Amino acid sequence: MHSAVFGKTAAGVALAIALGATAAACAPSPAAAPTSDRTAGPALTLTSSRTEAAKADQERKAKPVKTFTFPDGHISFQYPAGWSVATAVCPTVPGGPTGCVEATVRSKGKSVAFLVSGFYGDGGSGPVNRTVFDSAAVPGLAGFEGSPAFGFFKDSYGDVNDHYFMDIRRADELVSGSTGSGSGQVTLPNGVGIFRVYIDSPGFASDAEAKAWMGTVEYAQLKALLLSVSYK
């Protein structure tokens, strides 16, 4: 494995703007978790019509984003300035990485994403029938084991309710069809990272409802947040 620096490319600017559309201001991040503001420029949108896309673009131009960096300085991500990040120390195991930190991202008083730095990775994988709605490489994690990628997908477990997920995981796990469920864990030099959006179980009444959500500003913000994750 080797590090990959998250360059200030045009794609990085686009991600920053996608995060810009935000709701009313929430509580600021705790002092123990350093953050910095970054104002964004024009960006792509993921809305379902040209009218909505133009509206969302105008909102994003007017809203700044913040950058959160975990205490060890390795993993960072961007989020709308009106959102907040709360941190907590997570448990470790003997012989595993130390300094594990959990970061919970909140919008409008609701937890919307969960990111972990330095976790000890473990877990099992069972058979599922996976439907991938959206996926993309994460520029700031390029070159690491499994080519970590963003994904929004549904897993069907036979006679159990379908479940919808949005996270970062190995690119080879983001394939539609019969496959192993995988773990949603990313192996990095400082341990294992977890980068996941909270989706209430099962999340959506149908695939059509899930696809409709993909045309919203909220979806664009959350996708941009995950795509902005980087390691240095």
Side-chain angles (χ1 to χ4, degrees):
M1 296 182 290
H2 61 277
S3 287
V5 179
F6 185 47
K8 294 183 179 179
T9 62
V13 176
L15 294 177
I17 299 307
L19 284 162
T22 180
C26 297
S29 304
T35 64
S36 61
D37 292 329
R38 182 183 301 172
T39 303
L44 298 174
T45 60
L46 298 174
T47 45
S48 57
S49 71
R50 291 185 179 181
T51 300
E52 289 301 315
K55 179 180 178 182
D57 187 54
Q58 290 300 317
E59 292 175 349
R60 289 168 188 151
K61 287 178 180 178
K63 302 292 184 178
V65 298
K66 289 184 176 181
T67 298
F68 173 87
T69 301
F70 280 88
D72 65 5
H74 290 302
I75 297 174
S76 63
F77 62 89
Q78 296 176 341
Y79 63 101
W83 294 9
S84 64
V85 178
T87 61
V89 176
C90 48
T92 58
V93 298
T98 59
C100 177
V101 175
E102 304 172 351
T104 300
V105 184
R106 297 178 64 82
S107 170
K108 302 178 183 178
K110 174 184 176 183
S111 297
V112 295
F114 176 74
L115 299 92
V116 177
S117 172
F119 177 67
Y120 172 77
D122 196 9
S125 174
V128 298
N129 186 40
R130 177 163 292 165
T131 302
V132 179
F133 303 112
D134 191 11
S135 64
V138 179
L141 298 180
F144 289 109
E145 181 179 336
S147 301
F150 158 87
F152 174 47
F153 58 93
K154 177 190 76 174
D155 280 350
S156 299
Y157 302 86
D159 59 351
V160 182
N161 289 338
D162 295 341
H163 294 271
Y164 295 81
F165 300 91
M166 179 188 282
D167 63 19
I168 297 175
R169 59 181 54 222
R170 296 176 58 95
D172 58 10
E173 294 182 3
L174 295 171
V175 179
S176 294
S178 297
T179 183
S181 60
S183 65
Q185 298 176 356
V186 178
T187 302
L188 296 168
N190 70 333
V192 172
I194 299 175
F195 315 109
R196 180 179 303 152
V197 167
Y198 284 118
I199 297 180
D200 295 336
S201 180
F204 302 97
S206 65
D207 289 358
E209 187 176 296
K211 291 176 181 178
W213 182 57
M214 293 172 64
T216 66
V217 171
E218 180 184 52
Y219 181 89
Q221 291 174 312
L222 292 169
K223 178 177 179 178
L225 186 155
L226 292 183
L227 286 176
S228 74
V229 172
S230 66
Y231 185 98
K232 67 177 182 180

